[in-house]
Amino acid sequence: MRRITTILGALAALTLVGCGGDVDETFTGSLESGDDLVPQDNSFVDTYTFDTKEGYSCTIDMTSTEFDTYLMLQGPDGGDLGQNDDVAAGNTNSQLTVVAPSSGTYTVSANSKTSGLTGAYSVHVVCAKAG
Ligand SMILES: [Ca+2]
């Protein structure tokens, strides 16, 4: 019985760690013919999801050496939380920083600036407790 209690305690501790809003994930992929299309401009798009908690600050970077990236983020309710084309003048990569308005699943859209652009990219998501 003591052993079972210890195992249950360990499981509870693991579950608590898993309940945090911390995220550090990298998604790699390619925009290519046959991908989903953004209705507004028929550009290729791949989507990825991550889970975080209300109040966590998330920074999403999309980088590619092969095309001009465009990044979009939707919240758990499907609402638009931001879009970015270029992280800086002369740098066509994209970056968004948002404080999560609610706990749940967020959707990142890895997109290109204009239709027909293809190539490999990387999306890095980092969320940490704000403040
Ligand atoms: Ca761009």
Side-chain angles (χ1 to χ4, degrees):
M1 196 60 188
R2 174 177 295 272
R3 177 176 294 181
I4 290 172
T5 305
T6 303
I7 291 171
L8 286 176
L11 282 174
L14 281 173
T15 304
L16 279 175
V17 168
C19 282
D22 291 312
V23 176
D24 186 353
E25 284 188 75
T26 301
F27 306 102
T28 56
S30 293
L31 293 185
E32 55 201 359
S33 181
D35 280 349
D36 290 339
L37 299 173
V38 173
Q40 288 85 348
D41 65 0
N42 284 327
S43 55
F44 297 124
V45 64
D46 289 333
T47 57
Y48 300 94
T49 60
F50 65 91
D51 293 336
T52 191
K53 297 184 93 171
E54 181 179 350
Y56 276 64
S57 179
C58 298
T59 297
I60 303 139
D61 282 288
M62 180 178 181
T63 57
S64 174
T65 58
E66 300 183 5
F67 65 93
D68 186 345
T69 64
Y70 196 91
L71 188 61
M72 298 180 279
L73 180 67
Q74 288 179 302
D77 64 357
D80 183 12
L81 288 181
Q83 306 189 357
N84 182 254
D85 176 4
D86 299 340
V87 63
N91 181 346
T92 63
N93 293 320
S94 309
Q95 185 182 70
L96 282 172
T97 298
V98 299
V99 175
S102 59
S103 299
T105 301
Y106 288 71
T107 302
V108 176
S109 294
N111 181 219
S112 59
K113 171 145 185 158
T114 55
S115 66
L117 300 184
T118 57
Y121 62 79
S122 178
V123 174
H124 187 204
V125 180
V126 173
C127 299
K129 195 156 190 153

